[in-house]
C-alpha cells in the first residue's frame, strides 16, 4: 500500500518548505538507563506539530478537481492547523469540524489561517457532521490519518530520524489514528529491518489496540483522555494493516503518567509540549516499554506543542 520510495518522494516534494526538526538529548531519562534517550522535536515544525508534512504533501499531489471543491476535515486541532496552513498557500477553502472539547488555542489558530471551523459534539459526532457536509457541499475530504498521501508525508519524520540518529535501536511514537507511526514504520523498516518500533496510546483512547484485538478497525464508544491529539475513536483501513505489519508492539499509558510526563518535559527538558506529545516519556516513566530493548539509542517522537495558557494551567500541580 505504501513504499519507502513514495515516502522519499514526499520528502523531496516538501523539503523546500519544511525543514528537518532537531533531535535533542533527554539527559534525565538517559542517566537512568544504559542507553541514550533522544527526542525528535516535531513541536518545532510549522504550526507546532508534524501535521504540515502530510498536509503539504497532500496539497502538492492534489488534482485541480479535488482542490476546486474546497477541502473538508475532522480534527482535534493539529491536522486542522497543518491542512489550513498548507491550503492557505494555494488559496483553497477549508472547512474543519472539531469536537466541542477541542483546544481553543487550536480553534483560533485554525481560523486565523483562514479555515472555517465548526465545533460539534464529540469526535464521533464531528465525523457524522463532516460526512453530511461532504454530501451537501461537495467538499473533498482530507482524512487526518487514513490517506496514503497524508501517511507518506508523515513518514518523512522516519527518514529524518534515521539520518540524524544512525545508531537508533528503538523508535517510540504516539498513536492516535495511526498515520504518523505507520509512515515512520514503513520508512524505518525498509532502511533498518532490525529496528524496534513501539506505539504508545492513552488508556482512554486505545483505538489501535482495539483494532489489533478485533483484527480490524473498531470504533470506541467514547474517548476519555487529556491527550486530545490522540483521541481518534477508530483507526483507519490503511493505518491498521500497515501498523500490524510494521510495528513491533503497542503499549498504553495512564492519565497520571501522561500528566507526569508533560510536566517533566515542561520543567526538566524545557520543551513546551501538549499532553499527546508526551506519551512516549510516560511509557518510560511507567516502565511500559517491552524489555529487553535492542542496543542503540531510544528515539521518542515529540509530536507537537500546541497548547494555550489555560490548558497549561490545568496541567500544573495545585498548591
Amino acid at each position: 500500500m505504501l513504499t519507502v520510495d513514495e515516502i522519499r518522494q514526499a520528502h523531496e516534494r516538501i523539503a523546500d518548505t519544511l525543514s528537518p526538526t532537531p533531535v535533542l538529548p533527554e539527559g534525565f531519562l538517559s542517566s537512568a538507563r544504559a542507553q541514550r534517550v533522544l527526542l525528535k522535536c516535531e513541536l518545532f515544525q510549522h504550526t507546532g506539530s508534524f501535521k504540515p508534512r502530510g498536509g503539504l504533501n497532500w496539497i502538492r499531489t492534489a488534482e485541480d478537481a479535488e482542490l476546486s471543491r474546497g477541502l473538508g476535515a475532522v480534527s482535534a486541532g493539529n491536522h486542522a492547523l497543518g491542512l489550513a496552513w498548507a491550503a492557505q498557500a494555494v488559496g483553497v477553502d477549508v472547512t474543519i469540524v472539531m469536537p466541542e472539547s477541542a483546544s481553543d488555542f487550536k480553534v483560533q489558530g485554525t481560523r486565523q489561517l483562514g479555515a472555517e471551523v465548526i465545533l460539534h459534539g464529540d469526535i464521533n459526532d464531528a465525523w457524522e457532521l463532516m460526512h453530511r457536509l461532504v454530501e451537501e457541499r461537495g467538499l473533498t475530504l482530507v482524512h487526518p490519518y487514513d490517506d496514503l498521501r497524508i501517511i507518506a508525508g508523515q513518514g518523512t519524520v522516519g527518514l529524518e530520524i534515521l539520518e540524524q540518529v544512525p545508531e537508533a535501536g528503538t523508535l517510540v511514537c504516539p498513536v492516535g489514528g495511526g498515520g504518523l507511526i505507520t509512515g515512520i514504520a514503513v520508512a524505518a523498516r525498509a532502511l533498518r529491518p532490525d529496528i524496534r518500533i513501539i506505539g504508545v496510546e492513552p488508556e482512554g483512547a486505545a483505538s489501535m489496540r482495539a483494532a489489533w484485538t478485533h483484527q480490524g478497525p473498531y470504533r470506541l464508544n467514547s474517548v476519555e483522555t487529556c491527550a486530545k491529539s490522540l483521541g481518534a475513536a477508530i483507526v483507519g483501513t490503511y493505518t491498521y494493516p500497515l501498523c500490524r505489519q510494521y510495528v513491533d508492539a503497542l503499549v498504553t499509558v495512564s492519565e497520571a503518567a501522561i500528566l507526569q510526563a508533560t510536566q517533566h518535559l515542561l520543567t526538566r527538558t524545557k520543551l513546551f509540549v501538549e499532553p499527546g506529545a508526551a506519551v512516549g516519556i510516560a511509557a518510560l516513566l511507567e516502565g511500559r516499554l517491552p524489555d529487553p530493548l535492542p542496543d542503540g539509542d531510544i528515539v521518542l517522537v515529540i509530536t507537537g506543542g500546541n497548547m494555550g495558557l489555560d490548558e497549561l494551567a490545568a496541567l500544573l500541580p495545585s498548591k
Side-chain angles (χ1 to χ4, degrees), residues 42-130:
E42 285 295 292
L43 74 165
F44 296 131
Q45 191 51 269
H46 280 288
T47 76
S49 87
F50 69 93
K51 289 289 191 176
R53 296 173 181 268
L56 188 60
N57 188 55
W58 195 97
I59 290 290
R60 290 185 172 176
T61 54
E63 298 178 359
D64 290 342
E66 292 177 300
L67 298 175
S68 65
R69 298 194 296 268
L71 309 180
V74 172
S75 175
N78 284 334
H79 176 61
L81 288 163
L83 182 63
W85 170 81
Q88 186 183 53
V90 292
V92 175
D93 292 334
V94 179
T95 301
I96 308 285
V97 180
M98 294 187 186
E100 291 175 354
S101 62
S103 159
D104 186 62
F105 180 86
K106 293 175 181 177
V107 170
Q108 298 307 321
T110 304
R111 286 174 172 157
Q112 288 168 11
L113 288 168
E116 176 188 0
V117 176
I118 302 171
L119 299 177
H120 183 71
D122 64 11
I123 192 66
N124 288 321
D125 297 328
W127 271 108
E128 289 180 8
L129 176 57
M130 175 48 62

Side-chain angles (χ1 to χ4, degrees), residues 258-278:
I258 296 171
L259 179 61
Q260 181 186 2
T262 306
Q263 293 172 351
H264 174 95
L265 286 166
L266 288 166
T267 59
R268 296 278 189 172
T269 315
K270 316 305 179 186
L271 291 178
F272 191 88
V273 301
E274 58 191 285

Side-chain angles (χ1 to χ4, degrees), residues 173 204 299:
C173 182
V299 182

Side-chain angles (χ1 to χ4, degrees), residues 87-274:
Q88 186 183 53
V90 292
V92 175
D93 292 334
V94 179
T95 301
I96 308 285
V97 180
M98 294 187 186
E100 291 175 354
S101 62
S103 159
D104 186 62
F105 180 86
K106 293 175 181 177
V107 170
Q108 298 307 321
T110 304
R111 286 174 172 157
Q112 288 168 11
L113 288 168
E116 176 188 0
V117 176
I118 302 171
L119 299 177
H120 183 71
D122 64 11
I123 192 66
N124 288 321
D125 297 328
W127 271 108
E128 289 180 8
L129 176 57
M130 175 48 62
H131 288 309
R132 291 203 302 271
L133 293 176
V134 167
E135 290 293 324
E136 294 168 4
R137 301 185 185 182
L139 302 174
T140 298
L141 179 65
V142 184
H143 202 286
Y145 50 85
D146 202 32
D147 182 299
L148 292 177
R149 288 179 283 178
I150 294 289
I151 298 170
Q154 321 305 26
T156 61
V157 175
L159 297 180
E160 289 179 15
I161 290 173
L162 294 186
E163 183 174 340
Q164 294 167 312
V165 192
E167 299 302 317
T170 303
L171 304 184
V172 181
C173 182
V175 179
L180 177 62
I181 194 170
T182 53
I184 288 176
V186 170
R189 190 68 71 206
L191 301 175
R192 284 279 310 281
D194 60 326
I195 204 163
R196 182 77 60 84
I197 302 168
I198 301 171
V200 186
E201 295 181 290
E203 288 178 347
S207 53
M208 188 63 78
R209 169 58 64 192
W212 282 27
T213 299
H214 293 273
Q215 300 183 349
Y218 181 85
R219 184 175 298 279
L220 303 177
N221 290 328
S222 63
V223 170
E224 297 292 339
T225 180
C226 65
K228 295 179 182 179
S229 62
L230 305 182
I234 186 170
V235 301
T237 55
Y238 292 119
T239 60
Y240 163 69
L242 287 170
C243 186
R244 205 70 183 92
Q245 180 176 357
Y246 293 108
V247 174
D248 294 293
L250 287 175
V251 300
T252 59
V253 290
S254 68
E255 292 296 292
I258 296 171
L259 179 61
Q260 181 186 2
T262 306
Q263 293 172 351
H264 174 95
L265 286 166
L266 288 166
T267 59
R268 296 278 189 172
T269 315
K270 316 305 179 186
L271 291 178
F272 191 88
V273 301
E274 58 191 285

